[in-house]
Amino acid sequence: MIVKTPPMGWNSWNTFGGNINEELIKTTADTMADSGLLDAGYEYLVIDDCWALRERDENGRMVPDPAKFPNGMKAVADYVHSKGLKFGMYSCSGVLTCAGYPGSFDHEYIDADTFASWGVDFLKYDYCFRPSLSPGHLLYKKMGNALANCGRDILFSACSWGGHETHKWIKSTGAHMWRSTGDIVDSWASIRDITRHQLEIWDYNGQGCFNDMDMLVVGMNGKGNVGVTGCTYEEYKSHFSIWAFLNSPLMIGCDIRNMSDETKSILTNRDIIAINQDPAARQPYVIEPDAWHADSVLVLAKPLEGGDMAIGFFNLSDNDIGPWFALDSIGLGSATGKALEATELWTGEKVIKKDVFHIPRMAPHTCLVYRAKTIDA
Ligand code: GLA
């Protein structure tokens, strides 16, 4: 299984934490299928931690908590599949999950077999309660091997939070995506800090195994398991655009059954999703803006399949700014006789830029995301 574009879906953790059950999963599956999210590309529905009983059964198998999942997990998987979705679950490389349920340490093969028998298509694999003498690369290799031999294609989503230099070994484990950060919370500070940290390790991102900047907080509005202050509409737009630009998996974390039109319009912006799902899956590069704004604004360029270029301005600061850069820095110096025709993907506004790309004013925490093509000047 080769994963060519960042996976997209929904995960239960950000909003629901341990408060999960069959009814929630089914109604979420219905919403994914009926609300346009599946059409927009969100295909994996993932149950995170807290789905199991605290003890394995007499055969050493994990058991779904009957109070939460009275019909077992195969029934849930069948329902999710009947909606045209793929089904994801969660376990941990340690002896316990982060919330204290059984982990897969020393049970990798039997657990992979159980997941395959239920019809699981995606496994998120955490890093809590590791025996201290077991290095991360070995733990993830064990589950990678077990999944590769379980008889079913299961996307392997590693979640060691970037710890122990995960970027240096994760691709040897069979993982298809890897958490490159600690846990996100629903605040602008969290979004900004994850973004800045990501810039240090994005060289490790790419087709086959994508850097996972953690689940989206778009639409949480301060509620739920990782709800803190919440964010504004503009901040959620910037968050979504940055995750898309940096080729992060796009895993929704809000309660989509009650999402507002505003939230839905962000999550289903097809032009932004197309930047994330571009078949070339190239990483963006940083354009150095004028020195005056270098610390406050992140300016990214991402060459797309077919020759278009995505250009993003992200004001990470708390001040108004008016950034600009010379087109020479993306290869379009004045001697080329070329200009850029660019469409801003949130407003549809078209601009033509020659020699210099100047934004007169950007409010704090906002973004401008362009899809541009080269034209004769
Ligand atoms: C860790 C992970 C989270 C979530 C919880 C569940 O903190 O990083 O994404 O899966 O565990 O307990």
Side-chain angles (χ1 to χ4, degrees):
M1 177 181 193
I2 296 175
V3 177
K4 296 195 168 153
T5 52
M8 294 173 66
W10 178 89
N11 175 300
S12 57
W13 184 254
N14 277 4
T15 294
F16 298 99
N19 196 12
I20 49 175
N21 56 55
E22 179 176 322
E23 187 56 22
L24 166 71
I25 299 307
K26 284 184 164 176
T27 49
T28 298
D30 294 343
T31 309
M32 284 177 82
D34 300 340
S35 66
L37 290 174
L38 175 59
D39 285 345
Y42 298 94
E43 58 175 345
Y44 289 99
L45 186 163
V46 182
I47 300 181
D48 208 282
D49 204 352
C50 309
W51 57 266
L53 284 181
R54 300 266 176 189
E55 301 293 337
R56 291 173 178 267
D57 71 11
E58 63 279 10
N59 300 314
R61 300 224 173 224
M62 291 208 254
V63 185
D65 182 343
K68 294 175 179 172
F69 298 99
N71 299 301
M73 237 9 129
K74 173 90 169 61
V76 178
D78 288 348
Y79 189 86
V80 169
H81 289 147
S82 78
K83 294 284 163 178
L85 297 160
K86 293 181 176 161
F87 181 53
M89 289 194 70
Y90 165 100
S91 188
C92 184
S93 59
V95 292
L96 297 173
T97 70
C98 297
Y101 294 83
S104 291
F105 179 78
D106 225 10
H107 291 77
E108 290 84 0
Y109 274 77
I110 193 171
D111 288 353
D113 184 68
T114 302
F115 292 133
S117 74
W118 288 340
V120 168
D121 307 297
F122 177 113
L123 180 68
K124 175 174 170 181
Y125 203 53
D126 221 325
Y127 205 46
C128 286
F129 296 104
R130 287 173 312 112
S132 55
L133 294 178
S134 297
H137 69 90
L138 202 56
L139 294 173
Y140 281 88
K141 258 181 208 154
K142 281 202 224 173
M143 186 49 99
N145 276 337
L147 292 175
N149 287 282
C150 73
R152 190 177 170 86
D153 268 349
I154 299 185
L155 191 151
F156 188 23
S157 164
C159 181
S160 56
W161 325 305
H164 299 121
E165 300 192 304
T166 308
H167 53 282
K168 294 194 176 158
W169 47 261
I170 194 63
K171 287 183 182 163
S172 71
T173 68
H176 301 105
M177 55 193 261
W178 66 283
R179 266 279 294 283
S180 48
T181 75
D183 288 12
I184 196 168
V185 295
D186 183 19
S187 74
W188 172 253
S190 177
I191 291 165
R192 181 200 57 212
D193 294 347
I194 289 175
T195 301
R196 288 198 169 133
H197 169 61
Q198 190 64 23
L199 299 179
E200 297 160 19
I201 42 172
W202 72 3
D203 288 352
Y204 295 87
N205 200 355
Q207 256 171 349
C209 188
F210 290 97
N211 288 21
D212 172 9
M213 296 167 71
D214 206 357
M215 283 93 70
L216 299 165
V217 293
V218 176
M220 290 188 65
N221 299 314
K223 300 196 198 84
N225 189 39
V226 305
V228 190
T229 55
C231 299
T232 65
Y233 172 62
E234 290 298 329
E235 289 169 342
Y236 284 139
K237 267 171 55 184
S238 297
H239 164 42
F240 190 67
S241 304
I242 293 168
W243 266 234
F245 232 92
L246 296 188
N247 291 346
S248 175
L250 299 176
M251 303 298 291
I252 298 170
C254 69
D255 181 357
I256 54 175
R257 302 167 309 165
N258 299 308
M259 69 184 157
S260 64
D261 289 346
E262 220 172 50
T263 296
K264 187 172 162 187
S265 73
I266 296 176
L267 294 173
T268 58
N269 183 322
R270 285 176 184 256
D271 294 328
I272 301 290
I273 292 172
I275 305 281
N276 181 257
Q277 297 290 305
D278 187 67
R282 296 190 188 99
Q283 276 296 86
Y285 56 89
V286 178
I287 303 174
E288 295 298 337
D290 56 306
W292 185 253
H293 295 118
D295 291 337
S296 40
V297 65
L298 178 63
V299 187
L300 300 175
K302 176 169 169 173
L304 303 172
E305 181 88 341
D308 280 5
M309 172 88 84
I311 296 176
F313 293 85
F314 304 98
N315 183 358
L316 300 180
S317 79
D318 298 333
N319 305 312
D320 277 7
I321 53 173
W324 57 270
F325 68 89
L327 287 190
D328 191 36
S329 59
I330 56 166
L332 286 180
S334 49
T336 60
K338 300 286 181 188
L340 271 190
E341 185 182 275
T343 306
E344 208 284 318
L345 300 180
W346 290 105
T347 60
E349 192 200 351
K350 270 197 167 48
V351 292
I352 293 185
K353 300 285 177 181
K354 193 173 171 300
D355 299 334
V356 166
F357 206 136
H358 178 217
I359 307 295
R361 177 184 165 271
M362 285 181 81
H365 311 177
T366 60
C367 70
L368 290 164
V369 183
Y370 295 90
R371 187 174 184 116
K373 61 176 183 238
T374 305
I375 56 171
D376 290 335

